[in-house]
Amino acid sequence: MVNFVRKHGWSYLFVLPSMLTFSVFVLFPTLWAFVISFQKYSLVRGGAWMDPIYQNYVDAFTRLNGVFVSAIQNTLIYSAFTVTSSIVIGLVLASLIQPLSHRMRTFFRAAYYLPAVTSSLIVGMTWAYIYNAQWGFANYLLRLVGIAPVRWLSNPDIALGSITLSAVLTVPATAIVLYSAAMGSIPTEYYEAAELDGAGPIRKWWNITVPLIKSTTLYLVVLYTIASFEVFERIYVMVPSGVGNSTQTIVTQIYNNGFKDLNFGVASAQAFVLFVMIGVLAVFQFRALRSDVEY
Amino acid sequence: MPATRSRSQRMLVWTALIATTIISLFPMYWLFVNAFTAIRGTPPLTPLLWPEWSLDNFGRLLGGTKNYTNWMINSLLVAGGVTSFHMIFDTLSGYAFAKKQFPGRDLMFWLVISTLMVPIHVTLAPLFIISNQFKLLDTLWALILPGTAQVFGIFLMRQYIQTLPGELIDAARIDGCGEFGVFWNVILPLCKPAIAALAIFTFVRNWNEFLWPVIALNRPQNYTLTVGVANLQGEFMTDYGIIFAGASLAAIPMIVFFLVFQNYFLEGVRMGAVKG
C-alpha cells in the first residue's frame, strides 16, 4: 500500500483537480440527465418516474403539434447548407491562398479568422440588423438594383433561408486554417512527380491535394455538423420570439422546454435525441470518409 | 504547389480572395461604422460607409446603463477565472496522462475523451439543479465552476506533452528533481507555447459563452457581456445607436486580443485538430 502510494501517488495528485471537476460537472450531470429524461422533475419535490417510463420522449415529439419535428427538419436543412458550403468554400479558399507568399497567406488567414473571434451572439445580432426590413443593409442593396424591400426575418417562408444565408456568407475560418496547415504538410515531390507526368494545376489539385487532405475534411465535416446541429445564438437574436415553427431548431426547443417552461424531463429527452443524432452522424461520417491514403 | 498561372488566372484568384475578404469582414465593419456614427433612434437606410466619427452612442450607452461596466468586469472575472484554472489543471493532468503509468489511467482518459461528443445541452438541466441546490444561481461561480470542467484542454495538453522527449524528464530525475520538481522545472517551461494557445482559446470561448450564462443569471447587474448585450435589444428597442455601441464594445476586446496574439491563436486551432 505504502509502495503503491509512493509509486503512483503523484500521478493521481496530478490528475485529481481535473478529474474532480470533470466528475462533478460533466460525468455526473450527463448520467443524471439520462435519468431525468425519464422523470418528471420539480425543483421543489425532486424527480418522479414517468408512466410509462418513456413518456418524456413521446411528449418531446408530440407537444404543440409536433413542433420538435419541424425543429429537427429546420436544423437538418440549416446544417446541410452550412456544412456543405463551409467545406467547399474552406477548401477552395485554402487552395487559393496556398501558392501565395508566406506573408500574404498569413494575412488572408488572419482576415478570414478575425470575425470568428467575436461571439456568435454579436455576429447574429449584426446580421439581424443587416436584415432589418426598414433600414438594413440587405434591403439597401436590393433598392440599388431596383428590387422591392424584403421582410427577411419576419416572413415565415424565407426566415430560415435568411438565417442560413447569413451562416453560408460567414467565411469558414477554422476550415481555412486547418486545410492550409494540411496542405502545407504535403511533400512537394508528389507535385513534382505529377508535373513530370504532364499534370496541370487542376489535375494536381484534384488527384493529389484533395485525396491527401481527406482526414482533415473528415474532421471538419464532423466539427461543422456538430456546430450546426447545435445552432442557437444566431436564431435567438435574429428571431427572438421565433417566426411560428419555421425558425425553431433543436436547441431553441431544448431552451424553451427546459428553461422557459421548466420541464427538465422533456428538455433532457430532446437533448438526448440531439446527442444520438450527433453520435450516429459521426460514426456514419467516419465510415464514409475513412481515409485510405497514408503519407 | 508551384505557381504556374497566367495573368488572367492570377487576376481571377486575386478578385476571389479580395471579394471573400470583404464579405468576411463586412458585417463587423458595418456594425462598427454604425456604432461610431451618432444615431439617435432609427438608423438611416443609406449606410454611411465612411462615418463622421462620433462617440455619442458610447457616451449614451455608458451613461444610460450603469450596468455595462459591471458586465465587462463580470465577463473578465469569468473568462479570466476559468482560464487560470485551466492553465494549471490541464497541464498537470495532461502531463500525467502523457508521460506517467498508473492504474486507471487509460480508463480515465477514455472517459474524458468520450464526453467530448456529449453536447453541453445534455448537462444543462442537471447543472441548473445542482447550481440551484448550492445557491450558485445568479452568481459568477455558477459560470466559473462548470467552466473549469471543459475537457478539451486536457486532451490538448496531453497531445502536446507527448511530443516532448522523455529523456529530459529522466535527466531531471538523475539531477535530483522530485516529481513536482520535474513538472515545475522541466515540463512547465517547455509547455509555454501550448499553455498560451490554450489560455487564449479558453479565454475567448468563455468571454463569448451565451447559453449557460443566459440560463444561470437573473439580475441585470450580474450579467456577463453577451447576456447584457442581448438584453439591450429589449431595453433600448428604439435607440439603435446604444445597441450598436454595446455590441461593438463587447466585440472589440476579442478583436484586439486576436490581432495581438494572432500566431498563438492560429497555432491553437491547428494543435487542437492534430490527431493522436
Side-chain angles (χ1 to χ4, degrees):
Chain A
M1 187 62 198
V2 175
N3 251 334
F4 185 85
V5 171
R6 189 173 298 155
K7 193 161 168 223
H8 298 300
W10 278 100
S11 303
Y12 290 112
L13 215 56
F14 282 167
V15 295
L16 183 71
S18 294
M19 289 306 106
L20 211 61
T21 53
F22 168 71
S23 309
V24 176
F25 295 111
V26 181
L27 194 59
F28 171 67
T30 305
L31 300 174
W32 193 13
F34 192 61
V35 171
I36 289 176
S37 75
F38 296 101
Q39 288 183 329
K40 178 169 182 51
Y41 195 94
S42 145
L43 284 177
V44 186
R45 283 185 300 274
W49 298 107
M50 295 297 284
D51 178 38
I53 199 150
Y54 52 80
Q55 187 60 37
N56 281 333
Y57 286 85
V58 176
D59 285 351
F61 285 95
T62 54
R63 290 182 110 214
L64 307 169
N65 299 321
V67 55
F68 191 53
V69 178
S70 326
I72 291 176
Q73 279 168 354
N74 294 338
T75 309
L76 289 176
I77 293 170
Y78 174 86
S79 300
F81 280 100
T82 51
V83 174
T84 315
S85 75
S86 297
I87 298 298
V88 173
I89 296 173
L91 179 60
V92 170
L93 287 182
S95 306
L96 292 182
I97 62 173
Q98 204 57 28
L100 304 180
S101 70
H102 181 72
R103 276 185 64 168
M104 285 320 282
R105 211 164 33 194
T106 314
F107 168 80
F108 279 113
R109 263 197 302 236
Y112 292 136
Y113 203 85
L114 186 67
V117 301
T118 51
S119 78
S120 36
L121 184 97
I122 289 169
V123 174
M125 219 161 138
T126 308
W127 275 100
Y129 295 141
I130 288 177
Y131 280 139
N132 186 288
Q134 276 95 49
W135 46 266
F137 184 73
N139 278 346
Y140 167 78
L141 279 185
L142 290 188
R143 201 178 59 168
L144 282 185
V145 290
I147 300 175
V150 171
R151 291 190 301 129
W152 297 95
L153 295 174
S154 54
N155 178 346
D157 295 331
I158 61 168
L160 182 67
S162 307
I163 295 167
T164 309
L165 178 68
S166 78
V168 168
L169 288 178
T170 305
V171 172
T174 309
I176 292 169
V177 174
L178 293 188
Y179 270 137
S180 191
M183 286 173 191
S185 64
I186 299 176
T188 48
E189 294 88 53
Y190 289 13
Y191 294 111
E192 285 155 14
E195 255 163 68
L196 288 179
D197 292 341
I202 303 278
R203 277 208 61 168
K204 279 189 292 183
W205 182 73
W206 185 249
N207 288 332
I208 300 174
T209 315
V210 174
L212 285 179
I213 55 175
K214 208 167 155 187
S215 58
T216 305
T217 303
L218 164 69
Y219 178 79
L220 287 169
V221 170
V222 175
L223 195 78
Y224 278 113
T225 307
I226 293 176
S228 61
F229 274 9
E230 296 178 350
V231 60
F232 175 71
E233 281 95 331
R234 201 181 276 274
I235 312 268
Y236 181 95
V237 281
M238 286 175 84
V239 283
S241 41
V243 186
N245 288 352
S246 69
T247 54
Q248 293 296 336
T249 63
I250 298 175
V251 179
T252 63
Q253 277 302 298
I254 295 173
Y255 177 77
N256 288 342
N257 286 320
F259 300 96
K260 280 194 172 158
D261 300 349
L262 291 184
N263 193 337
F264 296 134
V266 168
S268 295
Q270 291 176 330
F272 273 98
V273 172
L274 173 66
F275 186 9
V276 169
M277 283 174 67
I278 289 174
V280 168
L281 221 117
V283 171
F284 177 75
Q285 284 170 335
F286 269 106
R287 290 192 167 212
L289 278 155
R290 183 182 287 159
S291 177
D292 43 18
V293 200
E294 295 290 330
Y295 63 97
Chain B
M1 209 181 322
T4 44
R5 286 171 170 158
S6 72
R7 178 186 280 265
S8 61
Q9 274 173 327
R10 272 209 303 271
M11 285 286 287
L12 203 68
V13 167
W14 280 101
T15 314
L17 290 178
I18 291 164
T20 45
T21 308
I22 292 171
I23 293 173
S24 170
L25 297 175
F26 181 77
M28 281 299 120
Y29 173 72
W30 187 77
L31 173 67
F32 291 145
V33 166
N34 278 301
F36 284 104
T37 311
I39 295 173
R40 294 182 178 242
T42 308
L45 175 59
T46 318
L48 302 136
L49 287 183
W50 199 250
E52 283 181 38
W53 298 99
S54 156
L55 292 174
D56 184 54
N57 299 329
F58 292 93
R60 278 180 302 134
L61 169 74
L62 298 174
T65 50
K66 282 168 209 73
N67 285 326
Y68 200 92
T69 26
N70 268 358
W71 302 341
M72 279 239 165
I73 295 167
N74 290 344
S75 280
L76 266 176
L77 287 176
V78 170
V82 171
T83 305
S84 335
F85 278 120
H86 272 286
M87 289 165 81
I88 308 165
F89 289 9
D90 295 351
T91 315
L92 278 172
S93 57
Y95 167 54
F97 282 129
K99 295 288 184 195
K100 293 187 151 302
Q101 297 288 342
F102 54 94
R105 181 191 74 168
D106 294 339
L107 175 72
M108 276 190 243
F109 189 68
W110 181 84
L111 264 178
V112 167
I113 291 303
S114 63
T115 57
L116 272 173
M117 284 292 260
V118 181
I120 60 142
H121 313 91
V122 165
T123 58
L124 288 179
L127 281 182
F128 187 84
I129 296 164
I130 297 170
S131 308
N132 181 51
Q133 214 98 75
F134 288 94
K135 304 267 179 287
L136 298 175
L137 282 183
D138 209 18
T139 72
L140 297 184
W141 287 112
L143 309 189
I144 295 175
L145 293 177
T148 56
Q150 288 152 353
V151 294
F152 174 72
I154 301 174
F155 176 68
L156 187 117
M157 291 314 297
R158 174 183 173 266
Q159 295 289 94
Y160 187 83
I161 294 171
Q162 263 182 342
T163 65
L164 302 176
E167 291 83 20
L168 285 172
I169 298 169
D170 298 336
R173 287 234 172 79
I174 293 164
D175 289 346
C177 261
E179 288 290 340
F180 190 74
V182 172
F183 174 78
W184 190 257
N185 297 317
V186 181
I187 301 294
L188 213 51
L190 288 173
C191 282
K192 266 185 198 154
I195 295 175
L198 172 70
I200 288 165
F201 240 72
T202 313
F203 191 86
V204 173
R205 177 198 205 153
N206 283 279
W207 180 277
N208 288 338
E209 184 70 56
F210 179 70
L211 180 57
W212 174 237
V214 82
I215 291 169
L217 302 174
N218 278 321
R219 279 174 303 168
Q221 66 265 34
N222 294 341
Y223 287 167
T224 54
L225 260 180
T226 45
V227 182
V229 168
N231 276 284
L232 282 178
Q233 289 206 95
E235 205 180 331
F236 294 99
M237 202 99 78
T238 48
D239 192 341
Y240 287 98
I242 288 187
I243 302 175
F244 281 129
S248 329
L249 204 52
I252 287 170
M254 291 307 99
I255 288 176
V256 172
F257 204 53
F258 173 76
L259 292 175
V260 175
F261 294 113
Q262 237 188 79
N263 292 332
Y264 282 116
F265 237 104
L266 300 178
E267 185 59 15
V269 179
R270 209 183 56 70
M271 247 169 20
V274 173
K275 294 153 295 293

